[in-house]
Amino acid sequence: MRLTTIMGWLVVLAGFYFGLSYLLNGDGAASGFGIVDPAGYYVVKGVRDIAYALTALILLLMGQRRALGWVVLADSIIPIGDCIAVITHGGTVGYALMVHGSAAVLVLLTAGLLLRETAPERPHAVPAQ
């Protein structure tokens, strides 16, 4: 197996490890993260959203529309999770659905459209005579 493939898998596993750590033991994961001031949450949220946007931008600019569709589909868990977090941590169901639920629907719709999209036909080259 190539070193880059191994490193790629390590990135995937680290993401799952850290994400699940926060979901299963948030207090422990937060103290391990090192942010004591709760305002640090805003930085974490901002960086997460910028990273998602950059991933989508790179795939879009590279013309990797199908890969973008899969990434958008996978990342639809973000607004779904945000919706659940708002509902379970003091926010109203109406607000959670209005803001995060509607975002989830839009993201899922976008993913579906990207994944159903067919590549445009390329013009056939005329053989040189």
Side-chain angles (χ1 to χ4, degrees), residues 4 8 10 28 30 39 61-62 77 86-87 105-106 108 110 114 120 128-129:
T4 52
L10 287 174
L61 292 176
M62 292 180 67
I77 197 168
V86 169
I87 292 169
V105 168
L106 181 62
L108 287 166
T110 302
L114 283 163
Q129 296 189 24

Side-chain angles (χ1 to χ4, degrees), residues 8 57 64 72 80 90 99:
L57 177 64
Q64 299 296 319
V72 170
I80 293 168
V99 174

Side-chain angles (χ1 to χ4, degrees), residues 1-97:
M1 186 178 289
R2 296 170 62 177
L3 177 62
T4 52
T5 302
I6 293 169
M7 297 301 288
W9 276 108
L10 287 174
V11 168
V12 170
L13 293 173
F16 279 120
Y17 172 78
F18 292 121
L20 288 171
S21 294
Y22 274 95
L23 291 175
L24 300 175
N25 180 17
D27 291 337
S31 69
F33 191 82
I35 293 179
V36 177
D37 179 1
Y41 159 80
Y42 300 120
V43 175
V44 173
K45 169 105 170 71
V47 169
R48 175 193 78 173
D49 290 347
I50 289 170
Y52 167 67
L54 287 172
T55 301
L57 177 64
I58 290 166
L59 291 171
L60 192 59
L61 292 176
M62 292 180 67
Q64 299 296 319
R65 299 175 70 81
R66 187 145 183 89
L68 176 60
W70 285 111
V71 167
V72 170
L73 179 63
D75 286 344
S76 69
I77 197 168
I78 294 171
I80 293 168
D82 291 349
C83 186
I84 293 168
V86 169
I87 292 169
T88 59
H89 290 86
T92 66
V93 172
Y95 188 82
L97 292 174

